[in-house]
């Protein structure tokens, strides 16, 4: 699978539970929409993913990537109810950084 470098890095840092490195995949003013909430800016994104890592211990396994739409389908497994799940990660990428990420079921 041919993933953009920043998405490869995002998956790697998620699987290592490295919240700071995960947040560094995003632009300063990036937004993440997940579980009905929007998280804006790298500091807020790092706080969100750190809590998620602590609570859920979720890992990502890429399954498919739509290059035209920048959508990654991935199996997410962890300590949360219903694990594992297949989720879609809708990216907007510019200048090698994630500008926007929306996670859907």
């Amino acid at each position: 699978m041919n993933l953009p470098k920043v998405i490869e890095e995002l998956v790697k840092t998620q699987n290592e539970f490295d919240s700071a490195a995960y947040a560094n995949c995003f632009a300063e003013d990036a937004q993440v929409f997940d579980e009905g909430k929007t998280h804006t800016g790298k500091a807020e994104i790092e706080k969100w993913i750190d809590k998620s890592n602590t609570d859920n211990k979720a890992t990502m396994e890429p399954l498919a990537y739509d290059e035209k739409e920048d959508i990654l389908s991935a199996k997410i497994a962890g300590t949360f109810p219903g694990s594992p799940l297949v989720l879609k990660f809708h990216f907007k990428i510019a200048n090698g950084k994630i500008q926007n990420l929306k996670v859907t079921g």
Side-chain angles (χ1 to χ4, degrees):
M1 184 176 332
N2 188 23
L3 295 175
K5 184 171 173 59
V6 70
I7 296 177
E8 283 183 3
E9 186 66 16
L10 186 84
V11 171
K12 177 179 175 273
T13 59
Q14 175 63 55
N15 291 340
E16 293 173 350
F17 307 112
D18 187 338
S19 302
Y22 183 99
N24 282 332
C25 294
F26 290 84
E28 287 297 328
D29 59 350
Q31 288 191 326
V32 172
F33 181 79
D34 185 36
E35 296 180 339
K37 296 180 184 157
T38 300
H39 310 280
T40 303
K42 282 172 69 170
E44 194 172 312
I45 291 168
E46 183 175 348
K47 183 177 173 185
W48 157 74
I49 198 63
D50 194 53
K51 180 172 180 359
S52 178
N53 285 340
T54 300
D55 293 350
N56 301 315
K57 302 283 188 251
T59 58
M60 293 177 77
E61 178 188 336
L63 301 174
Y65 182 66
D66 181 336
E67 292 182 41
K68 288 169 81 175
E69 299 293 325
D70 281 331
I71 299 172
L72 173 68
S73 296
K75 182 168 77 173
I76 309 302
T79 59
F80 55 89
S83 175
L85 297 172
V86 174
L87 298 177
K88 292 187 186 272
F89 296 80
H90 306 254
F91 293 95
K92 288 200 180 5
I93 300 168
N95 302 317
K97 294 287 185 181
I98 300 165
Q99 304 293 317
N100 191 281
L101 169 59
K102 181 178 182 182
V103 182
T104 61

